[in-house]
Amino acid sequence: AWVEVHHSPQDQIAPAVAALSQAMPEGSSQADAEAALRRAGAHCTPAAGSSQTCTFRDVETVDEYMDDVLWKVSLTYSGDKVAGLSVDRSWQRH
């Protein structure tokens, strides 16, 4: 059966984005940012040029449903320093 993928609105994930931005402020080293994400349980692709993507998978239960949640953190770098990040949270209900 096909399962629809939903994306959480940015205002709903703003606290998580703020926490990540605080943990990896602009100017942080690429190594420190990647290490922080890995400690939190993320799986990171090797940095490609000036960007890198790290993902977290989670499962949440809502009433009688189970949601598979995927957090995708995209980092951009200037040299070896964090220049910015964006976060996408998608989920599928089963």
Side-chain angles (χ1 to χ4, degrees):
W2 181 77
V3 179
E4 187 175 355
V5 175
H6 304 274
H7 292 271
S8 299
Q10 286 293 312
D11 61 332
Q12 289 182 3
I13 63 171
V17 175
L20 287 165
S21 295
Q22 188 172 15
M24 297 169 291
E26 286 187 25
S28 300
S29 76
Q30 178 180 339
D32 287 349
E34 185 176 335
L37 287 164
R38 288 185 188 278
R39 278 194 305 275
H43 298 278
C44 298
T45 61
S50 62
S51 65
Q52 182 174 28
T53 300
C54 298
T55 57
F56 302 81
R57 291 199 173 274
D58 197 9
V59 175
E60 295 177 1
T61 54
V62 180
D63 299 321
E64 71 272 20
Y65 301 103
M66 187 172 73
D67 295 346
D68 287 327
V69 179
L70 174 65
W71 290 86
K72 187 184 298 182
V73 180
S74 300
L75 294 164
T76 54
Y77 299 110
S78 177
D80 67 347
K81 303 291 184 197
V82 174
L85 64 85
S86 63
V87 180
D88 179 63
R89 179 188 185 273
S90 59
W91 53 277
Q92 296 177 310
R93 177 152 292 167
H94 299 281

